Amino acid sequence: MHIKQVIGHLESFKHEVTMIEWVELDWEELNKRILRKKTDKGREIAIVLDEQGLTSGDILFHEPGCTIAIRTKLEPAYVIQPKSMHDMGKVAFELGNRHTPCILENNEIIVRYDKTLEVIFHETGVPYVQTEKRFNQPFKYKGHHH
Amino acid sequence: MHIKQVIGHLESFKHEVTMIEWVELDWEELNKRILRKKTDKGREIAIVLDEQGLTSGDILFHEPGCTIAIRTKLEPAYVIQPKSMHDMGKVAFELGNRHTPCILENNEIIVRYDKTLEVIFHETGVPYVQTEKRFNQPFKYKGHHH
Ligand SMILES: [Zn+2]
Ligand SMILES: [Zn+2]
């Protein structure tokens, strides 16, 4: 199936969506313009957009009973759960000092899995869980020059 | 006056301390072994210690009515006052990302004055005050390699 444009988004689509056939992308692939993928039902999809920029939830195809949409893959991640302002400050400083891309959500910090980060969690004594997440939003990250 | 050793500390000194004549040091000077300084009353002091390592509050000389002691200089500083865990995380991450030495005290972050940091405070929307502080403890800072 050839896709030339996004026809809507799951959160605002006007037609009834019953079954969703997913195209799962790596987080970085959201920025691509040309992609060749299989849906989770094995259907071949060739995406060629005029402009780059896919979003999780974008609908590529719809007919009654079948909607093909984009979502990001589950990726291994840590959810860091500081219990105080002080601990939040400590662990966020250390992650910044390592230039580790972070998502701050509610009172938690989400980072991609990276075994070497566990030293920081242990040194700061901040609780964390290892889990899997779909990363839909850009990581907060600013480069810097030395 | 020649000083060869520290004879006590203000917090634990057994003799009565009435007037204190201060030797004010830069924070980095606490790590020196040999120093030539003037007290706040203009008295010349030559410090030659066996080992490096002065602490704010160290007593260099005492006689009834006169105690000469060390303290660090007032330095311009910011006290950053995040009002939530989320804001603490944001600003601490940015300061870490800049490798800015920080002191986390209570629910505040103290950093040395540096005009360029104000961009971070404004972007994160975290309140701060500019003030003066004596820095007695080491800054929390870990270098890193790229
Ligand atoms: Zn760096
Ligand atoms: Zn760097």
Side-chain angles (χ1 to χ4, degrees), chain A residues 97 99 144 146, chain B residues 97 99 144 146:
Chain A
N97 197 38
H99 309 309
H144 75 299
H146 285 261
Chain B
N97 197 37
H99 310 308
H144 75 299
H146 285 261

Side-chain angles (χ1 to χ4, degrees), chain B residues 2-60:
Chain B
H2 288 258
I3 304 293
K4 290 185 174 168
Q5 59 183 344
V6 171
I7 59 168
H9 193 87
L10 286 177
E11 283 178 10
S12 56
F13 203 48
K14 290 189 183 72
H15 304 272
E16 196 189 12
V17 172
T18 46
M19 294 286 288
I20 300 175
E21 201 171 322
W22 293 109
V23 177
E24 294 208 331
L25 301 185
D26 286 331
W27 182 77
E28 290 83 357
E29 289 175 324
L30 294 174
N31 292 318
K32 298 224 167 134
R33 195 174 68 80
I34 299 173
L35 285 162
R36 180 169 285 275
K37 288 283 162 186
K38 274 190 182 159
T39 68
D40 59 353
K41 293 188 178 151
R43 193 195 308 225
E44 294 263 10
I45 303 279
I47 303 171
V48 181
L49 304 171
D50 285 343
E51 289 176 22
Q52 65 175 30
L54 288 160
T55 304
S56 188
D58 278 350
I59 296 170
L60 305 179

Side-chain angles (χ1 to χ4, degrees), chain A residues 94 97 99 123 140 142, chain B residues 82 94 97 99 123 140 142:
Chain A
E94 294 297 340
N97 197 38
H99 309 309
E123 278 180 1
K140 170 72 179 157
K142 280 185 195 145
Chain B
E94 294 297 340
N97 197 37
H99 310 308
E123 279 180 0
K140 170 72 177 157
K142 280 182 193 148

Side-chain angles (χ1 to χ4, degrees), chain B residues 58-126:
Chain B
D58 278 350
I59 296 170
L60 305 179
F61 174 80
H62 172 78
E63 60 182 26
C66 175
T67 304
I68 298 176
I70 297 280
R71 71 177 176 191
T72 48
K73 283 181 189 158
L74 276 175
E75 289 188 63
Y78 299 108
V79 179
I80 307 158
Q81 302 167 316
K83 299 300 176 212
S84 66
M85 294 266 280
H86 190 262
D87 285 356
M88 173 60 94
K90 277 199 297 185
V91 75
F93 178 86
E94 294 297 340
L95 291 168
N97 197 37
R98 285 268 302 255
H99 310 308
T100 303
C102 289
I103 294 171
L104 266 162
E105 218 170 68
N106 308 317
N107 291 336
E108 300 178 330
I109 304 177
I110 301 163
V111 294
R112 276 184 160 143
Y113 175 79
D114 170 357
K115 189 85 185 161
T116 67
L117 292 177
E118 293 183 15
V119 176
I120 291 176
F121 307 152
H122 294 145
E123 279 180 0
T124 57
V126 176

